[in-house]
Amino acid sequence: MAKVTLSTLRRLKEEHKKFGTITAYDAAFAHLFDECGVPALLVGDSLGMVMQGRESTIGVTVDDVVYHTGCVSRAVTEAMVIADMPFMSYDTPESACRNAARLMQAGASVVKIEGGVWLVPVIERLLQNGVPVCAHIGLTPQFVNIFGGYKIQGREEAQAQKIVETALKLQNAGASLLVVECVPAPLGSEIAARLDIPVIGIGAGNQTDGQILVMHDAFGITPGHTPKFARNFLKETGDLRKAVELYLSEVENGSFPNENQSFF
Ligand code: KIV
């Protein structure tokens, strides 16, 4: 496989080929995922929970993500590396640029930011400065204190339509990718169908263009609560490499996530 770029993921969408992606935080796992052909790795701020033992992502800093992005990007030859911008590191276009520069210099090719239409000027400014953006909508964990917990988003019609409109506005502002988290499967499907950019789901049903899993959820080693949309591929295969390959093939053939791993 050649070096994966945004064009690769766009082409997969155009060809109606689903793809699996996964989080990574260190060189050993990043190398393994790269060898297995995972097209994109996310250095997620979920590192706050799975690496640092925190209860949420709020305590993760730009320094933390810079460190883990360096570890991951030095270990891959083909996979595209996406780095999460942590809580309050993109509250203005200026701070977004300052902090995104550090993540890009650490090896990321794309940065991910969570939120709604207020992200439009942030996305525009990052793009003007050469930083591709993955927007993240639906259940955005950095807003857990606003949501009052990790709750499914978009169950009511009005809220669902607002999420679709937000997705379109973020695409029009220049987002190159969209992550949609914990929404009913029909809503995940509608967003993927209405957008031209690749839509990567987590807890959003099996009709999005791509899927993402926190690696610990895919291996059954999550400290604390394992979400409903997770599947322990390691238990099924007994081997890390086979677990990753099974994850990729089950996403590609539409078997993962199934109805029990989706919300309605
Ligand atoms: O931080 C993270 O790992 C994420 C994924 C769950 C999408 O944002």
Side-chain angles (χ1 to χ4, degrees):
M1 199 169 66
K3 180 88 188 143
V4 175
T5 64
L6 287 168
S7 314
T8 320
L9 301 187
R10 274 196 295 266
R11 196 167 55 246
L12 289 174
K13 175 167 179 131
E14 279 159 21
E15 293 172 354
H16 305 287
K17 290 184 180 153
K18 297 191 194 310
F19 56 90
T21 66
I22 197 161
T23 65
Y25 316 95
D26 69 16
F29 278 106
H31 181 67
L32 174 82
F33 298 149
D34 190 57
E35 281 194 335
C36 291
V38 182
L41 304 181
L42 169 68
V43 184
D45 60 356
S46 50
L47 71 87
M49 278 98 120
V50 297
M51 306 298 290
Q52 299 174 333
R54 298 179 191 274
E55 283 188 358
S56 78
T57 59
I58 307 290
V60 175
T61 66
V62 175
D63 282 347
D64 293 333
V65 185
V66 166
Y67 172 77
H68 288 282
T69 299
C71 298
V72 167
S73 63
R74 285 189 289 273
V76 301
T77 54
E78 289 161 359
M80 189 174 78
V81 177
I82 305 170
D84 244 340
M85 298 202 65
F87 182 67
M88 288 291 281
S89 66
Y90 49 97
D91 58 319
T92 63
E94 290 72 27
S95 66
C97 286
R98 197 171 50 249
N99 292 315
R102 296 191 58 208
L103 300 180
M104 300 292 281
Q105 285 164 348
S109 298
V110 177
V111 300
K112 179 165 82 59
I113 53 181
E114 301 179 7
V117 287
W118 65 270
L119 292 176
V120 164
V122 175
I123 294 171
E124 288 171 346
R125 188 72 71 82
L126 286 168
L127 263 194
Q128 282 162 9
N129 284 279
V131 180
V133 177
C134 173
H136 181 161
I137 62 170
L139 171 52
T140 44
Q142 291 175 15
F143 292 76
V144 61
N145 292 307
I146 303 278
F147 293 145
Y150 296 100
K151 298 179 180 161
I152 314 309
Q153 301 295 305
R155 277 205 158 123
E156 296 89 37
E157 183 54 27
Q159 199 196 21
Q161 281 324 304
K162 194 171 164 208
I163 292 175
V164 173
E165 282 160 25
T166 299
L168 287 164
K169 283 182 183 150
L170 299 181
Q171 169 179 268
N172 294 343
S176 300
L177 298 171
L178 184 79
V179 165
V180 56
E181 178 165 354
C182 287
V183 299
L187 178 54
S189 174
E190 180 181 351
I191 294 169
R194 304 243 335 240
L195 266 61
D196 298 324
I197 59 173
V199 175
I200 301 174
I202 174 163
N206 65 5
Q207 293 304 309
T208 52
D209 308 303
Q211 297 288 330
I212 183 146
L213 272 184
V214 171
M215 56 165 275
H216 297 67
D217 289 342
F219 295 148
I221 53 167
T222 309
H225 170 74
T226 300
K228 168 187 159 101
F229 52 75
R231 174 167 154 191
N232 186 343
F233 292 93
L234 182 57
K235 191 172 173 196
E236 291 174 45
T237 55
D239 177 85
L240 284 173
R241 205 169 291 269
K242 287 192 181 129
V244 178
E245 286 163 0
L246 180 63
Y247 165 59
L248 292 179
S249 64
E250 293 282 271
V251 170
E252 286 161 18
N253 69 28
S255 314
F256 177 78
N258 65 21
E259 291 209 343
N260 294 330
Q261 294 145 348
S262 304
F263 303 106
F264 291 92

